[in-house]
Amino acid sequence: MSENYNYSIDRVKYKKLPGKCYIEILGWCIAKGQSNVDYLASINNQNVPLEVVKYKRDDLRLAFKKKGIILKESQGFRILVPCEDKSINNFILYAIAEGKDKQKLYTATANQLLQIENDSMIEYNIDSFEIDEEKSMATACGWAFSLQNEEVRFSIENSRNETVDSTLQINLRSDLLEMKMIDNSQKFCGFRISFPYDKKDSYNIRFTSDSYQTKQHLSVARHSKLALFHAYLNELNGENISKATKYLKENGLKKFISRLKFGPNTNSMTYQDWFLGQRITEEELQKQAQVKFSHAPKISIIVATFNTKENYLKEMIDTVVHQSYSNWELCIADGSNTDNVIHYIEKNYPDNRIKWTKLDQNYGISGNMNKALELATGDYVGLYDHDDMLELDALYEVVKSIQDYPYDLIYTDEDKFDDSKKEFVDPNFKPDYSPDLFRSHNYITHFFVVNKRIIDQVGGMRSEFDGAQDYDFMFRCIEKANGIYHIPKILYHWRMHPLSTAQNPESKLYCYEAGKKAIEEHYKRIGVEATVEMMPKPMWGMYHTTYSTKDDPLVSIIIPNMNHKNILETCVNSLYNVNTYKNFEIIIIENNSTEQDIFDYYEQIQLEHDNVRVVTWDKEFNYSSINNYGVEYAKGDYLLFLNNDTEMITKDALSEMLGCCMRPEVGAVGAKLLYKDDTVQHAGVVIGFGGYAGHVFNGIDKDDYGYMVRARINCNYSAVTAACMMVKNSVFNDVGGFDEQFKVACNDVDLCLKIRKTGKLIVYDAFSLWHHYESKSRGYEDNQEKIWRFNNEVEKFQKKWPDILKNGDPYYNKNFKIEHGPFSLF
């Protein structure tokens, strides 16, 4: 290998199709000094045209980071070399960088190409094939798509060519989209297929389109023991020994030995690694600078300076001056007690887009920002702090977001910059606009851009809210806005230094009092009866809103039940002995019980309480049908669907949910559910996990914050679990109740999505606390029949809700890898 290049060829295909022939090569190449790499191809010693797609490789960024090298460019490549009507004697692929000799990356003779010749009209790959011997089930994961853009169907065949029953989940493959192996219409080409496995048999997976079919043998990959030995030897250090010891202690010897076969986990990528790998390149910035938008508004960025350190001032201004979008103005109001800031600006920035005013006194943060606002002549205004930084494509992304619809408000993701370590840390990957999350804390913060027309209506910052003046300002703008757009990109850096709120939250306790006042004033303006509490230390800046349950409407509590007298009794007793909200009725749906003590208990509780009714469902188990049946007997305006294996913990758990649900914009509310050991069972559901949906905080301690404290505060999700879910009776009927094709699984998520489709919110109430002794009434999904049933219903769900599965859950940031688990970047 030349010392000027590092490279690898990962895959080569010689495709010979009707009317089309090409060589496809996948790999990566890095030139010394990270010069831009171009590629040349020759057939029979003559240069030929080729198509090159470059893409980023996280694995390479991590590997080179360990060597102290930060990769800036896209290192991966996918190269197509058309070769129709050519008799190939030899083929060569070269890399060439500026000022460097050509480097051969791949060579092949006619015979070598013949060995890899491929005429399949379906492209596919098996990423993994796993066998669960205890359950006699096998699962294959991978991707497949048709070169003719036809739908691909999947089936499993045994050694006798018989079709084996299987269940299928389809997943998004954004990696193939980035490599331009597929287009948008094919991006949902990932698969996860499960089937009953007999170790005495062998199996193939068949891929079928309307005009073509092919198959692939399924086998478990064997690991080289020698290779594994060397892999562990190379990674043997104190940190990994400690990790191994911890894994052994937590999981036992059997799982530890099983884990060893996969080799050491070398993924130690940090957020800094990830961010630098995602960051826009100089080449991309230059391309953005050439874009001519049909709607190119002027953006006024307002900032108040006060004795700002020179290096902070420079970085703050430079990251505006070098924006790829040029129609901006920077409006600076300086309240410093010296002229240093103004002198520095005058000396170093002659740009007439930079406006400034030297204030005759320090008017406080609100007053100073308003003075900056007076300088603004733009169509939109962005809020900026004097010691922070913007990404150089921030304004471009803002303007790009308002081309199809003129949103009044736009906000972006952000992180913090540790000034002492010179490192990007603590990213805040935000959801699309979440009203309940915003009422719980100012998660929007930066970068916030608002239509100047809205500011003219609501006015500027208000000094009585100093410390949370932006929070109050945002509330007033949101109340008037035509829409709010979230850009899921890190475009703003909040600098952490000893005097900043980012690093020292206790330094500005008055900010949090002002934040509480901002929320209260918001409720007064929009006519909502509620009380607001600051959450205790160390949850600075977090708030708990308790909404009024005016007139105390009737809540109908729907509880399906089969046997398990003690479990049901625990649930019912908590509703009478713990619960302080008294206007409720209980409807128990008896579902094919066989034990006499449960029937005795039914009689007992109906004698003891005049607000309990037992109705009988004598058909087969169907969760959706059973609950729909129970609703027929409900008299309340609000329905609480409650599993029999739940128990109320907090006395106001019911009134908490009711207050949220009574809001006109809300359709359903879910509670915080804990397992018996006080770890979290449910704190919100995100669509997309496993091709369906998943709980995002499952298993954390009840007091753990979760990502960005979202397990501890109210916020919005696309779905919540019906193990404890309150729904307006009118909304439930409007959407047709539970869809009865979902007999066991998917029914609650489907109901929530139907409610969301009407424009109503789904709220996760972190302050309504219950125990959920999960699945005691019907058993765990621990056998083939139950797994089978679950996967079949997932398939139905995927067919019904393809858009959200393809486009992503709006309450879950697109930067997180849905296939890697909750809130995971890599």
Side-chain angles (χ1 to χ4, degrees):
M1 181 183 296
S2 167
E3 64 179 13
N4 290 327
Y5 295 88
N6 287 293
Y7 67 90
S8 175
I9 300 299
D10 299 333
R11 190 179 77 185
V12 180
K13 280 190 176 182
Y14 179 37
K15 295 291 291 189
K16 296 197 75 172
L17 307 173
K20 190 174 185 180
C21 178
Y22 58 90
I23 299 170
E24 180 187 55
I25 306 173
L26 274 68
W28 59 268
C29 183
I30 302 168
K32 187 176 181 179
Q34 299 194 52
S35 300
N36 185 51
V37 177
D38 292 318
Y39 299 93
L40 300 174
S42 76
I43 294 177
N44 302 336
N45 301 317
Q46 291 186 342
N47 290 347
V48 294
L50 76 167
E51 300 174 23
V52 181
V53 177
K54 295 182 180 181
Y55 59 96
K56 296 176 181 178
R57 291 273 299 256
D58 288 342
D59 56 339
L60 293 179
R61 288 200 299 275
L62 175 60
F64 278 82
K65 171 68 165 53
K66 289 184 175 180
K67 299 177 182 179
I69 301 171
I70 302 298
L71 298 182
K72 300 174 183 177
E73 303 295 331
S74 299
Q75 312 85 18
F77 62 74
R78 174 175 173 262
I79 294 174
L80 294 181
V81 182
C83 46
E84 291 92 344
D85 303 321
K86 287 184 173 65
S87 176
I88 303 177
N89 296 320
N90 65 74
F91 170 81
I92 307 175
L93 176 69
Y94 297 95
I96 183 167
E98 297 173 6
K100 297 182 177 65
D101 295 333
K102 290 191 294 187
Q103 170 67 43
K104 288 183 181 180
L105 300 183
Y106 177 78
T107 64
T109 65
N111 285 336
Q112 288 170 330
L113 289 175
L114 189 62
Q115 292 175 20
I116 58 172
E117 184 177 314
N118 182 297
D119 63 357
S120 174
M121 298 302 294
I122 295 178
E123 293 282 84
Y124 66 86
N125 190 64
I126 309 298
D127 295 336
S128 66
F129 179 57
E130 298 178 352
I131 298 167
D132 188 330
E133 294 184 357
E134 291 182 4
K135 298 176 182 177
S136 297
M137 293 290 291
T139 300
C141 298
W143 52 264
F145 62 88
S146 165
L147 294 174
Q148 298 164 298
N149 209 26
E150 298 175 344
E151 179 185 355
V152 176
R153 298 177 291 278
F154 307 84
S155 60
I156 300 295
E157 296 177 351
N158 60 22
S159 58
R160 298 174 297 283
N161 296 322
E162 299 168 336
T163 300
V164 177
D165 285 343
S166 60
T167 58
L168 177 68
Q169 295 179 22
I170 299 298
N171 302 306
L172 171 71
R173 290 302 296 248
S174 55
D175 54 336
L176 304 186
L177 197 61
E178 184 182 5
M179 295 163 65
K180 296 187 178 177
M181 293 180 69
I182 57 175
D183 59 27
N184 254 341
S185 66
Q186 299 170 305
K187 66 182 180 180
F188 221 53
C189 65
F191 67 83
R192 181 180 187 274
I193 190 165
S194 300
F195 58 94
Y197 181 79
D198 182 347
K199 61 184 178 181
K200 296 178 182 179
D201 208 342
S202 63
Y203 299 90
N204 295 316
I205 181 170
R206 181 173 292 278
F207 306 101
T208 306
S209 67
D210 288 343
S211 56
Y212 192 84
Q213 60 178 319
T214 186
K215 64 182 178 180
Q216 172 67 47
H217 179 63
L218 294 171
S219 62
V220 179
R222 299 289 181 181
H223 295 270
S224 162
K225 293 181 181 179
L226 183 61
L228 280 178
F229 172 77
H230 284 296
Y232 279 112
L233 191 62
N234 289 336
E235 296 295 327
L236 197 60
N237 54 47
E239 180 184 1
N240 285 336
I241 290 173
S242 175
K243 288 180 180 178
T245 303
K246 181 180 179 182
Y247 189 93
L248 174 62
K249 183 177 179 181
E250 293 178 352
N251 297 279
L253 182 61
K254 183 177 179 181
K255 287 189 177 181
F256 177 77
I257 293 172
S258 176
R259 172 64 185 84
L260 289 177
K261 70 181 181 181
F262 297 108
N265 180 4
T266 60
N267 186 4
S268 56
M269 184 183 288
T270 65
Y271 166 68
Q272 168 101 341
D273 298 332
W274 180 90
F275 172 70
L276 294 177
Q278 301 292 322
R279 200 176 203 178
I280 191 167
T281 65
E282 184 62 35
E283 180 183 357
E284 291 167 328
L285 286 170
Q286 291 175 7
K287 290 179 181 178
Q288 287 184 357
Q290 303 305 313
V291 173
K292 303 296 183 184
F293 288 110
S294 58
H295 177 44
K298 180 192 285 188
I299 300 179
S300 301
I301 301 173
I302 63 172
V303 58
T305 53
F306 181 78
N307 296 338
T308 309
K309 290 176 63 174
E310 188 173 293
N311 62 317
Y312 294 173
L313 185 65
K314 181 180 187 306
E315 289 186 279
M316 182 271 288
I317 297 175
D318 282 350
T319 57
V320 176
V321 169
H322 296 122
Q323 288 288 311
S324 61
Y325 179 78
S326 60
N327 192 13
W328 55 263
E329 62 181 8
L330 179 59
C331 305
I332 301 173
D334 181 46
S336 304
N337 49 30
T338 72
D339 292 332
N340 293 345
V341 169
I342 297 305
H343 287 164
Y344 182 82
I345 296 171
E346 288 181 317
K347 178 182 177 181
N348 295 283
Y349 298 98
D351 194 323
N352 60 13
R353 294 175 297 177
I354 299 178
K355 302 178 177 181
W356 57 266
T357 180
K358 182 70 177 79
L359 304 181
D360 57 356
Q361 67 180 70
N362 179 10
Y363 291 93
I365 184 59
S366 292
N368 292 354
M369 286 293 278
N370 287 338
K371 292 294 184 181
L373 182 59
E374 290 176 8
L375 301 174
T377 62
D379 305 289
Y380 282 79
V381 174
L383 307 187
Y384 200 19
D385 284 351
H386 69 145
D387 50 1
D388 293 345
M389 297 171 286
L390 286 170
E391 278 297 293
L392 301 186
D393 56 334
L395 299 186
Y396 175 90
E397 292 292 346
V398 167
V399 175
K400 179 183 173 183
S401 73
I402 56 176
Q403 294 306 299
D404 294 330
Y405 183 82
Y407 290 97
D408 283 334
L409 300 181
I410 304 99
Y411 67 94
T412 76
D413 294 343
E414 65 187 290
D415 64 13
K416 295 183 177 69
F417 182 73
D418 188 326
D419 197 52
S420 61
K421 297 180 179 178
K422 306 302 179 187
E423 182 178 1
F424 297 105
V425 297
D426 196 18
N428 185 355
F429 291 106
K430 306 167 188 177
D432 288 354
Y433 181 56
S434 171
D436 286 85
L437 182 59
F438 191 64
R439 291 174 176 182
S440 298
H441 81 119
N442 183 6
Y443 81 91
I444 290 178
T445 54
H446 296 294
F447 185 42
F448 179 80
V449 180
V450 56
N451 193 320
K452 180 64 161 54
R453 174 181 54 82
I454 297 295
I455 299 178
D456 293 340
Q457 293 180 45
V458 306
M461 308 286 180
R462 302 195 292 184
S463 58
E464 61 266 38
F465 293 91
D466 273 1
Q469 72 288 334
D470 53 348
Y471 199 17
D472 167 66
F473 177 71
M474 290 175 188
F475 269 122
R476 289 183 285 124
C477 290
I478 287 169
E479 290 161 21
K480 299 291 185 181
N482 67 357
I484 304 169
Y485 189 84
H486 163 231
I487 302 172
K489 291 186 176 182
I490 299 288
L491 297 175
Y492 192 98
H493 308 291
W494 188 7
R495 190 187 301 270
M496 294 171 61
H497 55 81
L499 297 180
S500 72
T501 308
Q503 184 156 311
N504 183 16
E506 289 189 68
S507 66
K508 296 183 179 179
L509 291 176
Y510 72 93
C511 298
Y512 312 125
E513 288 286 358
K516 175 176 178 288
K517 183 179 177 182
I519 303 171
E520 291 171 336
E521 290 295 310
H522 163 66
Y523 289 142
K524 287 179 183 177
R525 286 192 301 272
I526 65 173
V528 170
E529 293 184 33
T531 58
V532 182
E533 298 174 276
M534 289 174 55
M535 295 189 69
K537 177 182 178 179
M539 297 183 66
W540 307 113
M542 306 292 161
Y543 305 94
H544 172 205
T545 294
T546 303
Y547 295 94
S548 169
T549 59
K550 185 178 180 180
D551 298 329
D552 293 342
L554 177 67
V555 177
S556 298
I557 303 174
I558 315 292
I559 308 176
N561 187 74
M562 176 183 175
N563 294 320
H564 300 291
K565 179 255 185 184
N566 292 337
I567 292 172
L568 178 62
E569 185 175 26
T570 298
C571 175
V572 171
N573 284 346
S574 72
L575 294 172
Y576 286 103
N577 301 330
V578 178
N579 171 38
T580 56
Y581 187 84
K582 299 304 181 184
N583 192 17
F584 66 90
E585 64 174 0
I586 299 175
I587 299 167
I588 299 171
I589 309 162
E590 156 52 30
N591 170 36
N592 294 302
S593 294
T594 57
E595 300 169 1
Q596 184 58 43
D597 63 348
I598 191 63
F599 293 103
D600 294 340
Y601 179 65
Y602 292 156
E603 291 186 15
Q604 174 191 333
I605 56 173
Q606 288 181 97
L607 288 173
E608 292 176 354
H609 304 286
D610 59 7
N611 60 343
V612 176
R613 181 174 184 179
V614 179
V615 299
T616 300
W617 173 265
D618 56 9
K619 302 175 185 177
E620 66 175 2
F621 181 84
N622 180 319
Y623 179 87
S624 297
S625 300
I626 290 170
N627 279 282
N628 288 343
Y629 177 71
V631 171
E632 294 177 11
Y633 296 90
K635 301 174 183 176
D637 290 330
Y638 297 87
L639 309 171
L640 178 65
F641 297 100
L642 191 64
N643 278 21
N644 61 349
D645 54 352
T646 56
E647 180 181 13
M648 186 180 288
I649 298 174
T650 49
K651 63 182 181 180
D652 56 353
L654 188 57
S655 58
E656 265 284 342
M657 297 178 76
L658 178 60
C660 281
C661 203
M662 288 176 67
R663 292 157 47 196
E665 73 273 21
V666 172
V669 180
K672 185 172 184 176
L673 305 182
L674 307 177
Y675 292 114
K676 185 177 182 180
D677 63 359
D678 279 349
T679 58
V680 172
Q681 188 268 335
H682 169 266
V685 172
V686 165
I687 312 303
F689 289 105
Y692 160 51
H695 293 201
V696 286
F697 294 117
N698 188 267
I700 69 173
D701 185 80
K702 70 179 179 68
D703 294 324
D704 283 353
Y705 294 161
Y707 182 72
M708 300 303 295
V709 199
R710 289 175 202 170
R712 294 285 303 274
I713 54 179
N714 288 5
C715 52
N716 302 106
Y717 284 98
S718 288
V720 291
T721 179
C724 182
M725 176 172 66
M726 186 175 290
V727 184
K728 285 186 175 74
N729 199 333
S730 58
V731 170
F732 184 82
N733 286 310
D734 286 346
V735 301
F738 287 104
D739 187 337
E740 296 184 5
Q741 70 170 318
F742 300 117
K743 298 180 180 180
V744 177
C746 308
N747 32 57
D748 46 5
V749 178
D750 172 76
L751 177 66
C752 288
L753 291 183
K754 290 195 294 182
I755 293 171
R756 287 282 297 122
K757 198 171 182 180
T758 69
K760 300 289 187 182
L761 294 171
I762 308 297
V763 179
Y764 157 64
D765 191 325
F767 303 93
S768 178
L769 207 58
W770 306 66
H771 275 123
H772 181 202
Y773 309 109
E774 187 184 24
S775 297
K776 287 185 177 178
S777 62
R778 65 177 180 87
Y780 293 91
E781 310 291 10
D782 59 355
N783 62 49
Q784 180 179 316
E785 180 184 354
K786 291 179 181 178
I787 294 171
W788 210 256
R789 180 178 59 193
F790 174 81
N791 285 341
N792 272 314
E793 298 202 352
V794 168
E795 285 186 55
K796 296 174 184 176
F797 180 88
Q798 291 175 340
K799 291 177 181 177
K800 185 173 181 179
W801 299 104
D803 289 344
I804 191 170
L805 289 168
K806 289 182 180 180
N807 300 327
D809 190 322
Y811 294 111
Y812 190 71
N813 193 284
K814 291 178 173 59
N815 288 289
F816 294 124
K817 301 294 186 184
I818 203 82
E819 64 271 21
H820 292 173
F823 304 109
S824 176
L825 279 178
F826 39 78

